[in-house]
Amino acid sequence: MSDLKTATRPGRIHEITAVSNPRVKSIRGLFQKKHRDLSGTFLVEGQKLVMDAFEHGWQVDTLIYAKGDEVRKPIEELAAKVRVQGGDILEVNGKVLTSITRKDNPQTVLGVIKQQWSQAPKNVSDPKTVWIGLDRVRDPGNLGTIIRTADSAGADGIILIGETTDPFSVEATRATMGSIFNVPLVRMTNGEFLAWRKSWNGLVVGTHLKGAVDFRTIDYASHPVLLLMGNEQQGMPDDLAEACDKLALIPMHGAADSLNLAIATGVFLFQMGKRLPAVEGELK
Ligand code: SAM
């Protein structure tokens, strides 16, 4: 549940019907990275994602929903909690929702959420620990899928290395299916990563098409593991590859020269099998 504190003043309720309203314009701006960076917020679409954000303790700056008789009880309850924490409520019409989302059939609930970035892990010793390093990931769908997969595999967090796509874009957050709120994200330049890597007292497994080690033969269980993934187009640059203890390969059949980045990350994470819950019950 949310552990945010009660704000000194409750958020306000505004009814907005004009698409030219400045507040609506600034929310629409959150489709662009420069506005997300400036405001330190991002936009999520749909009741589930806004509720996930709140439940995981992320600050909901603004809750936006379609006003009407059909407003559901859970939204009214969420709105009351968001207000207690100082977030504003915008009751809008379909035209305003369409103008924000640029969709004919928009979600009826949107949220403006405050971004959260984490610090790089220090003095990690638990052998169950898994962090993922992503080198210059470009595709928001890939990044969102990796965040979702990392969450499902119980990974501890993701380090975004170099110029990457924004994890807080609408496309990326949508692809996370709510996992964006449950996976710590750290960002570093390539140089910062190489310096930090020296303090990592576990195994660094780079995944590489020229990898000399079959990914099934590595002992992942005895140490914390940092899994390093290369860029979609260029693979992993030499300086990152040299920082790895092992370069591992998933051997493949077929005509393609590589797996999709998100698929390769998932294959490694589930091969490691760290922190996976036991299966309860039996198939009948
Ligand atoms: N053209 C790129 C190259 O030469 O590396 C292809 C990159 S691939 C789409 C993106 C990343 O996924 C790779 O850098 C690597 O980290 C991982 N990857 C994809 N297929 C892999 C495989 N069969 N074995 C190990 N890693 C793989």
Side-chain angles (χ1 to χ4, degrees):
M1 281 301 277
S2 171
D3 56 1
L4 285 173
K5 304 277 178 294
T6 303
T8 44
R9 71 146 183 91
R12 300 200 167 92
I13 304 178
H14 303 272
E15 189 174 339
I16 298 181
T17 52
V19 297
S20 56
N21 181 291
R23 190 115 184 215
V24 170
K25 279 191 186 163
S26 78
I27 294 171
R28 204 182 298 138
L30 294 177
F31 277 89
Q32 291 168 30
K33 184 170 184 308
K34 71 174 178 190
H35 291 297
R36 293 193 294 271
D37 288 348
L38 271 173
S39 64
T41 63
F42 62 110
L43 181 70
V44 295
E45 297 180 336
Q47 177 175 330
K48 178 187 178 297
L49 277 188
V50 184
M51 284 192 162
D52 284 347
F54 185 84
E55 293 297 326
H56 284 87
W58 289 51
Q59 186 178 315
V60 180
D61 271 6
T62 312
L63 172 68
I64 304 128
Y65 61 81
K67 188 175 161 65
D69 298 340
E70 71 286 0
V71 171
R72 294 160 305 279
K73 201 156 191 286
I75 292 299
E76 283 172 354
E77 287 169 3
L78 177 63
K81 292 185 206 159
V82 166
R83 283 194 68 208
V84 168
Q85 295 180 346
D88 285 345
I89 311 300
L90 305 189
E91 295 180 342
V92 301
N93 57 22
K95 252 189 351 202
V96 169
L97 281 174
T98 300
S99 90
I100 293 174
T101 60
R102 301 183 191 112
K103 286 187 194 132
D104 290 337
N105 207 357
Q107 295 275 359
T108 53
V109 181
L110 308 172
V112 177
I113 315 291
K114 192 163 185 303
Q115 296 183 12
Q116 283 186 25
W117 289 97
S118 298
Q119 298 296 316
K122 278 190 195 148
N123 306 322
V124 170
S125 58
D126 181 352
K128 285 200 184 310
T129 304
V130 186
W131 274 79
I132 302 160
L134 298 178
D135 166 41
R136 296 165 298 150
V137 54
R138 284 278 181 267
D139 182 82
N142 272 345
L143 178 54
T145 305
I146 291 171
I147 293 170
R148 176 181 177 182
T149 309
D151 187 22
S152 312
D156 296 272
I158 298 178
I159 301 175
L160 301 175
I161 306 164
E163 285 288 310
T164 68
T165 191
D166 184 2
F168 296 115
S169 68
V170 172
E171 299 89 331
T173 54
R174 192 186 296 136
T176 74
M177 301 292 287
S179 291
I180 184 89
F181 305 117
N182 205 35
V183 178
L185 297 176
V186 176
R187 53 186 162 181
M188 290 185 187
T189 63
N190 178 288
E192 286 166 345
F193 175 79
L194 290 172
W196 169 84
R197 183 265 173 268
K198 296 189 185 122
S199 68
W200 175 260
N201 48 9
L203 200 61
V204 180
V205 178
T207 70
H208 206 294
L209 300 183
K210 294 195 186 123
V213 185
D214 182 323
F215 81 118
R216 294 164 294 189
T217 64
I218 296 173
D219 168 19
Y220 301 103
S222 311
H223 2 241
V225 174
L226 175 75
L227 178 68
L228 197 51
M229 307 299 302
N231 164 270
E232 290 102 326
Q233 278 81 41
Q234 294 153 19
M236 191 180 295
D238 291 346
D239 55 356
L240 289 186
E242 282 158 18
C244 296
D245 297 308
K246 291 180 192 294
L247 291 178
L249 174 74
I250 304 167
M252 306 189 314
H253 290 287
D257 67 355
S258 65
L259 293 169
N260 161 277
L261 170 64
I263 298 282
T265 310
V267 170
F268 270 95
L269 288 174
F270 282 89
Q271 173 69 25
M272 284 185 219
K274 298 194 188 216
R275 295 216 175 102
L276 293 186
V279 176
E280 284 172 17
E282 289 172 21
L283 287 178
K284 298 237 163 78

